Amino acid sequence: MSTSGFVLPVSLALRLLTSAAPASQSPAAAPHAPQVPGVSSPAPAKPSATPAIAGGKGLSAARQATAGRLMEPALKEGHAYARLAELTDGVGPRLSGSESAEAAVQWALRSFKADGVKAWKEPVKVPRWVRGEEHGEIVASERTRGLPLSLLALGGSAPTPPEGLTAEVVEVGSLEELTALGERARGKIVFFNHAMAEAADYGRFAGLRSRGPAAAAKQGAVAALVRSLSTASLRTPHTGATRFDEGDTRLPAAAVSVEDAHTLHRMLQGGAVKVRLVLGCSELPEADSSNVVAEIRGREKPDEVVLLGAHLDSWDVGTGAHDDGAGVVMVMEAARLIAKLPQAPRRTVRVVLFMNEENGLRGGRAYAQAHAKELPKHVAALEMDSGGGRPLGVSLHAGPGGEDLLRPWLAPLEGVDAATFMVGHATGADLSPMEPAHVPFVGVRVDSSRYFDVHHSMADTLDKVDPQELARSTAAVTWVAYALAEEPGVLARPTAPEPDAPPPAKK
């Protein structure tokens, strides 16, 4: 259904019209307010009016008025949250190649049409992996009765035999430890354990999930278990992609909950442990799918493009609210609000909803290939894929002078506490195929320290997204997109990849 027909509950509308912090809730039930490590959270806000749209030195009256036209509706109307409810509760989980992923494509096209924004599909061939049956248990022994495991198969996992498999477990904490096991891994289930505690740890340990099972197969293992990459758990497993290159032996692989990882670790200290694992995964023929592309054509330089990206697919567990429904509705709302201005910005604003970010990055690669001749005219690209938390500031990956160029445009972001430049990466997985074309990347950084509480799990649902925080980040994205499209000058193109950028297949 279109957002124009979605009625926002009065209680939610009132929340969006104030900047008061939500009432205190238990950690399990509260909408998360993600925080970037090293950045302290502000004190709880006192009830007040919607944040003012600041003017600021150097910003003309006309630009101040435009900031109001763009940011105030994003803050007050609740349109982004209502649209997120449509996507998550209406379409649901959207693993690429599935019927619900195609339903999401059609939903996006209808939504752009309702907004008066021109949109179309661009073809993408995607993998079609299906989860199937999944369960496991620690086998009863002289030391313990049998214990069930809370687990999710990893995307790309091979199935077990229909009757399952049972084998002894060996624990490692790194790929180097796995290599050191040598023949001791043969015939075993390799258990990759780690100590992820905060969002910054994700990059340290993600390789255990993405590369560990394939490495275990090369050592002769029969299956792999990986501790979930999570910053919180109520025995909630978190899935994600694992990668087997062409010619690799594929083996069954699953993520176990943090609590079950602790149990396995403790029990292994006392002696041998066996696990029985049943996974009914299947790999079907590749499917035809689509990126969804929409744009507002620039009034003076329509061939110069400011790209706003997010990924439309999600995992098949939860409903992909933070990952990446929040990013999808932010960039869609930016397009809707910019399209309503009496005058289009100088340059074209193009939104791309990528398909298959989670388990293949096919959409990002397909866009970069199809638009290769245009990429030299892509003057900036911005991807939203870190959840729906509050905005913190702006990051850049561009040539010299980027901050000086954009600094005069930051003043309106003071009203949402994001009028600052931040050190750190500005790229995203779906933008990474554009790096060889030296496209400047701009990030609207959001508070994502609690993002991995629910990331890739059954808990990634609408209730975890705070509507006020989503509205603030939407307002920030909208204004930054307009600034990039309207600024007379352009960012200098970078000459090298970001040194601390996440790996292309970050998921």
Side-chain angles (χ1 to χ4, degrees):
M1 63 182 175
S2 70
T3 304
S4 58
F6 191 95
V7 178
L8 199 64
V10 173
S11 59
L12 176 56
L14 289 173
R15 284 183 65 192
L16 287 165
L17 286 168
T18 69
S19 61
S24 177
Q25 296 175 297
S26 68
H32 293 298
Q35 175 188 347
V36 168
V39 179
S40 60
S41 296
K46 297 179 180 179
S48 65
T50 300
I53 306 303
K57 184 177 179 181
L59 200 65
S60 69
R63 287 180 179 173
Q64 291 180 46
T66 301
R69 283 178 178 269
L70 292 173
M71 296 180 69
E72 287 181 8
L75 290 165
K76 292 181 178 180
E77 291 178 357
H79 199 272
Y81 193 82
R83 182 155 278 173
L84 183 58
E86 289 183 23
L87 180 60
T88 56
D89 294 343
V91 177
R94 308 170 295 281
L95 188 60
S96 62
S98 66
E99 291 182 4
S100 54
E102 178 57 28
V105 168
Q106 297 304 320
W107 167 85
L109 291 169
R110 291 194 305 270
S111 299
F112 280 124
K113 182 178 180 180
D115 294 343
V117 178
K118 180 184 177 183
W120 62 93
K121 298 190 300 181
E122 295 186 353
V124 181
K125 203 81 168 177
V126 298
R128 181 76 172 100
W129 178 84
V130 179
R131 180 171 302 279
E133 177 187 10
E134 52 190 5
H135 58 87
E137 62 180 339
I138 298 173
V139 177
S141 70
E142 293 180 356
R143 293 187 293 124
T144 181
R145 300 182 67 175
L147 297 172
L149 293 171
S150 180
L151 57 79
L152 287 171
L154 296 179
S157 168
T160 63
E163 68 277 11
L165 64 83
T166 301
E168 190 175 320
V169 176
V170 290
E171 179 180 346
V172 297
S174 67
L175 296 177
E176 290 75 19
E177 286 184 28
L178 171 64
T179 300
L181 278 180
E183 283 295 310
R184 288 176 292 166
R186 186 167 298 279
K188 304 294 200 309
I189 296 174
V190 175
F191 164 45
F192 293 94
N193 202 2
H194 57 83
M196 181 174 178
E198 59 182 9
D201 292 333
Y202 184 79
R204 294 172 54 200
F205 299 121
L208 297 180
R209 186 198 66 208
S210 63
R211 302 193 304 276
K218 291 176 181 177
Q219 298 283 92
V222 295
L225 296 174
V226 183
R227 171 176 160 164
S228 288
L229 293 160
S230 173
T231 46
S233 181
L234 292 174
R235 208 153 179 253
T236 311
H238 296 237
T239 190
T242 192
R243 186 172 70 247
F244 297 96
D245 293 331
E246 188 174 351
D248 283 352
T249 299
R250 301 168 68 87
L251 51 64
V256 296
S257 70
V258 171
E259 292 86 349
D260 287 342
H262 286 311
T263 299
L264 281 169
H265 175 75
R266 289 193 303 269
M267 294 183 69
L268 284 165
Q269 306 312 299
V273 174
K274 287 187 175 181
V275 161
R276 179 173 180 268
L277 191 63
V278 178
L279 299 179
C281 315
S282 58
E283 194 86 34
L284 302 181
E286 290 190 343
D288 293 321
S289 190
S290 309
N291 291 334
V292 178
V293 184
E295 69 179 25
I296 300 100
R297 193 164 176 81
R299 70 177 190 274
E300 290 181 6
K301 301 179 178 181
D303 59 331
E304 294 186 0
V305 175
V306 172
L307 186 147
L308 308 181
H311 67 86
L312 191 54
D313 63 306
S314 75
W315 279 106
D316 55 335
V317 295
T319 56
H322 274 296
D323 187 19
D324 183 28
V328 166
V329 299
M330 284 183 209
V331 298
M332 292 179 75
E333 185 71 346
R336 184 183 76 90
L337 293 170
I338 291 171
K340 291 175 67 175
L341 291 175
Q343 177 176 259
R346 280 188 171 85
R347 299 179 184 86
T348 293
V349 174
R350 179 178 295 170
V351 171
V352 183
L353 305 183
F354 296 100
M355 183 57 68
N356 184 234
E357 188 271 354
E358 294 291 6
N359 62 331
L361 211 66
R362 301 282 188 88
R365 295 189 180 111
Y367 180 86
Q369 182 177 356
H371 297 268
K373 292 182 179 179
E374 291 180 74
L375 293 184
K377 288 287 191 175
H378 280 46
V379 300
L382 183 157
E383 181 174 351
M384 297 305 297
D385 185 19
S386 297
R390 64 186 174 90
L392 298 174
V394 177
S395 55
L396 294 176
H397 176 56
E403 290 189 8
D404 291 339
L405 185 76
L406 291 184
R407 185 171 286 108
W409 294 89
L410 292 191
L413 300 181
E414 292 171 8
V416 292
D417 299 322
T420 186
F421 288 109
M422 302 189 71
V423 175
H425 71 84
T427 189
D430 281 310
L431 300 186
S432 60
M434 302 180 201
E435 281 195 344
H438 304 287
V439 175
F441 296 145
V442 180
V444 173
R445 296 274 289 281
V446 301
D447 191 342
S448 58
S449 62
R450 306 319 310 171
Y451 175 64
F452 293 102
D453 289 4
V454 301
H455 176 259
H456 294 182
S457 79
M458 291 295 291
D460 188 7
T461 48
L462 181 66
D463 52 287
K464 307 307 187 306
V465 178
D466 186 293
Q468 291 179 55
E469 295 184 348
L470 180 69
R472 287 171 180 248
S473 285
T474 301
V477 169
T478 303
W479 179 245
V480 170
Y482 178 82
L484 292 166
E486 181 64 18
E487 161 60 39
V490 295
L491 293 168
R493 300 180 86 79
T495 56
E498 290 182 298
D500 64 342
K506 77 174 182 66
K507 298 291 180 167

